[in-house]
Amino acid sequence: MRPHTPRSILKQQDKKKTDGRPHPRRRPSVPAPTEAAMTAPHQIPDLFALSEIHGPVLRPGERAYADEVTGFNLASLHTPDVAIGATGPDDVVTAMRWAHATHTPVAVQATGHGANFPIEHGLLINTSRMTDVHVDPATRTATIAAGAKWSHVMAAGAPHGLAGLCGTSTDAGVVGYTLGGGLPVLGRAYGFAADLVRSFQVVTPDGHLRESDPRHEPELFWALRGGKGNVGVVTSLVTELLPLPRLYGGGIHCHAEHTQTLLRTWTEWTHSVPDEMCSMFSVLRLPPIPQIPEPLRGGFWARVAIAWPGDPAEGQALIAPLREAAPVAVDTVEEMDHAALDRIHMEPQDPLPARECCMLLRDLPPDAMGTFLEQVGPGAGAEYPLLVASLRHMGGALSRPSAVEDAVCARDARYFMESVGIMPAPPVAEAVEQATRRLYTAMAPYGTGRTMVNIHGTPGDEQDIARAWTPEVYARLRHDKATYDPDNLLRYGHAVTPA
């Protein structure tokens, strides 16, 4: 008999509302901006034009400013000169027209899961109030506003037996995730989230609200699917949904001493499974905190996460070799509602300071597996600072081109490596940074040379930023940037410079 399935690794805290803004979680205390950040070193143009905005318009030092600018990833604390809480497309249009007229740089944030670069000065548009989701069961599509999370989409689609191509956490924002291509839990079965998008409503940096699809503004449509937010601020998108009321998924956990055996078995197993079988091997070092239930609390685990959209009995037969490879300590694989997808990867539900990084891999030969384990396996030591290091099986539908060409450049990878380190204080942050660099330097010989923009991590120079795309796609994005944003107003985060 397998141990009882834990419903979640981390507890979700109570919801609250602050200053009219709905919050999905109780935020931890956030360090106040420094005095230097509170007093901007340059003059901000007159804000009178922003008085037409329906949501709040906040400056440093004002009540609710810190809450307005803080996202999920607390490693990137933002200090913009002005922050607005957009309530709809009209607010975004007003904000962009003001930014265009005053040459003020602009950043956009919904949930802040992907925040990897502190926003200093300029204008921050917070879209987290824009959470409307409308599902049309006849066309199996959803119209999703800019600040909606995947949890909102799951809730709206579940009564109709429909679901979207969500990533490993339903707490992440739909639009930001999709603009970066969107790597779903069920990606091998159905492709990238960007592949299912039918249209966008977007405000370009000139302040114009545009509709973009394969027939109207097709180049803009291309750049928005995989090019991140380099050519405009998306206010909503329309995407296809899939008839996926239930799936078979969860995690097979083994103790540290079985890490090598489970990794070797999983890698060989990925060579023969059907396209619909989606999986990820992870090394987990879980902290000894109350939010993590026993027996996983404070342990080192090797885990294979499973997501199978087909018949549960067939899925059970397919994963039998993994269950037989080594003694299984905790097994959470079971049939579940698609809306319960968070139970597969059991990611944190509360804000934290994180350092993410990733790499696309050509293959995973034995020497690559050995290198990976040398860096992150049990031999790395009990004080090794990375919380998780993972290898995701790519291929299947992820390797096939989209029906309408897009800017996603990860279709030639057979595996995808990613890591997360938690950085609560400077000494730990330095250790996380060093461990991250060592891992990716060691694994570089097995990589394609590219990353995925959503999990790229802190962007470096232009050469580093360009690694999220092929040279041809990057050149095309720069051309589109020059067309739609010649003044480079959207210059924060993983930004492409105009050609």
Side-chain angles (χ1 to χ4, degrees):
M1 179 179 294
R2 302 198 303 273
H4 174 67
T5 302
R7 304 292 286 183
S8 175
I9 285 287
L10 297 174
K11 296 178 180 178
Q12 177 140 4
Q13 295 184 345
D14 294 335
K15 298 180 179 180
K16 70 172 182 177
K17 292 185 178 181
T18 304
D19 300 311
R21 176 185 177 187
H23 287 289
R25 62 181 74 80
R26 188 179 304 278
R27 297 183 183 275
S29 59
V30 177
T34 63
E35 184 176 350
M38 298 281 281
T39 57
H42 60 280
Q43 292 292 323
I44 288 299
D46 181 29
L47 301 182
F48 177 75
L50 296 180
S51 62
E52 299 178 12
I53 288 177
H54 298 86
V57 178
L58 300 167
R59 297 289 306 275
E62 295 183 344
R63 191 171 73 90
Y65 170 88
D67 196 56
E68 193 71 36
V69 303
T70 302
F72 185 91
N73 188 352
L74 301 180
S76 297
L77 297 178
H78 307 312
T79 55
D81 297 308
V82 185
I84 73 159
T87 61
D90 289 347
D91 284 352
V92 179
V93 168
T94 299
M96 291 304 293
R97 288 180 178 174
W98 176 84
H100 182 260
T102 59
H103 307 286
T104 301
V106 178
V108 186
Q109 179 167 272
T111 66
H113 271 73
N116 51 43
F117 189 93
I119 298 163
E120 298 175 349
H121 312 305
L123 169 67
L124 174 64
I125 300 175
N126 181 351
T127 64
S128 64
R129 293 169 178 79
M130 300 166 61
T131 59
D132 290 344
V133 176
H134 173 71
V135 171
D136 184 341
T139 60
R140 292 204 313 218
T141 60
T143 302
I144 305 169
K149 300 179 181 183
W150 279 110
S151 57
H152 298 132
V153 179
M154 296 299 189
H160 309 287
L162 299 173
L165 286 182
C166 174
T168 54
S169 173
T170 63
D171 189 61
V174 176
V175 167
Y177 160 88
T178 304
L179 292 177
L183 182 55
V185 170
L186 290 170
R188 279 178 48 84
Y190 301 105
F192 292 95
D195 298 344
L196 297 189
V197 176
R198 291 192 177 182
S199 65
F200 293 98
Q201 185 184 72
V202 56
V203 181
T204 45
D206 58 6
H208 286 88
L209 183 65
R210 304 171 187 263
E211 300 289 338
S212 176
D213 60 35
R215 292 183 302 168
H216 307 94
E217 304 265 15
E219 187 64 19
L220 186 60
F221 187 65
W222 173 86
L224 288 170
R225 292 175 305 127
K228 204 57 177 173
N230 274 288
V231 291
V233 180
V234 170
T235 56
S236 68
L237 62 79
V238 178
T239 187
E240 297 177 31
L241 299 178
L242 299 168
L244 287 170
R246 297 184 66 77
L247 62 108
Y248 183 68
I252 296 170
H253 301 72
C254 296
H255 288 296
E257 60 266 29
H258 305 296
T259 301
Q260 182 175 1
T261 300
L262 186 62
L263 174 58
R264 184 177 63 249
T265 302
W266 172 77
T267 304
E268 294 172 353
W269 176 80
T270 61
H271 295 161
S272 60
V273 295
D275 287 354
E276 293 76 18
M277 177 57 76
C278 307
S279 64
M280 179 191 291
F281 174 87
S282 299
V283 173
L284 305 171
R285 286 175 167 83
L286 301 179
I289 56 177
Q291 288 88 341
I292 298 176
E294 296 288 0
L296 299 177
R297 184 184 305 165
F300 181 111
W301 301 94
R303 180 189 71 187
V304 176
I306 297 293
W308 166 255
D311 178 65
E314 185 179 356
Q316 183 175 2
L318 283 169
I319 69 171
L322 300 176
R323 285 175 166 154
E324 297 166 358
V328 177
V330 178
D331 190 334
T332 68
V333 182
E334 63 180 1
E335 188 178 4
M336 64 178 69
D337 291 340
H338 194 278
L341 178 142
D342 282 333
R343 285 157 48 191
I344 295 177
H345 290 270
M346 298 184 291
E347 292 197 353
Q349 297 295 305
D350 299 304
L352 44 76
R355 166 70 159 99
E356 290 184 313
C357 201
C358 75
M359 174 186 290
L360 292 162
L361 302 176
R362 295 189 308 274
D363 209 340
L364 201 58
D367 53 341
M369 286 188 282
T371 301
F372 179 78
L373 291 180
E374 286 174 6
Q375 294 295 318
V376 304
E383 300 301 319
Y384 188 75
L386 296 187
L387 179 71
V388 56
S390 299
L391 297 165
R392 184 189 298 224
H393 189 202
M394 301 286 279
L398 295 170
S399 65
R400 295 191 279 272
S402 174
V404 179
E405 186 185 16
D406 59 26
V408 177
C409 296
R411 300 183 193 272
D412 59 343
R414 294 194 67 180
Y415 297 91
F416 175 73
M417 184 178 76
E418 59 184 302
S419 62
V420 179
I422 306 303
M423 308 187 301
V428 177
E430 182 178 344
V432 167
E433 186 63 33
Q434 291 176 354
T436 300
R437 292 183 182 276
R438 286 196 302 268
L439 172 60
Y440 288 87
T441 299
M443 293 295 290
Y446 313 104
T448 67
R450 293 194 297 278
T451 68
M452 286 200 70
V453 60
N454 280 349
I455 316 173
H456 179 95
T458 305
D461 58 15
E462 184 174 359
Q463 183 178 3
D464 179 63
I465 288 171
R467 292 191 302 123
W469 302 281
T470 63
E472 296 77 16
V473 167
Y474 182 67
R476 185 172 171 183
L477 283 172
R478 291 192 66 208
H479 179 271
D480 291 344
K481 180 78 168 180
T483 300
Y484 293 101
D485 188 16
D487 296 328
N488 198 23
L489 294 184
L490 298 168
R491 68 183 69 162
Y492 294 107
H494 206 109
V496 171
T497 55

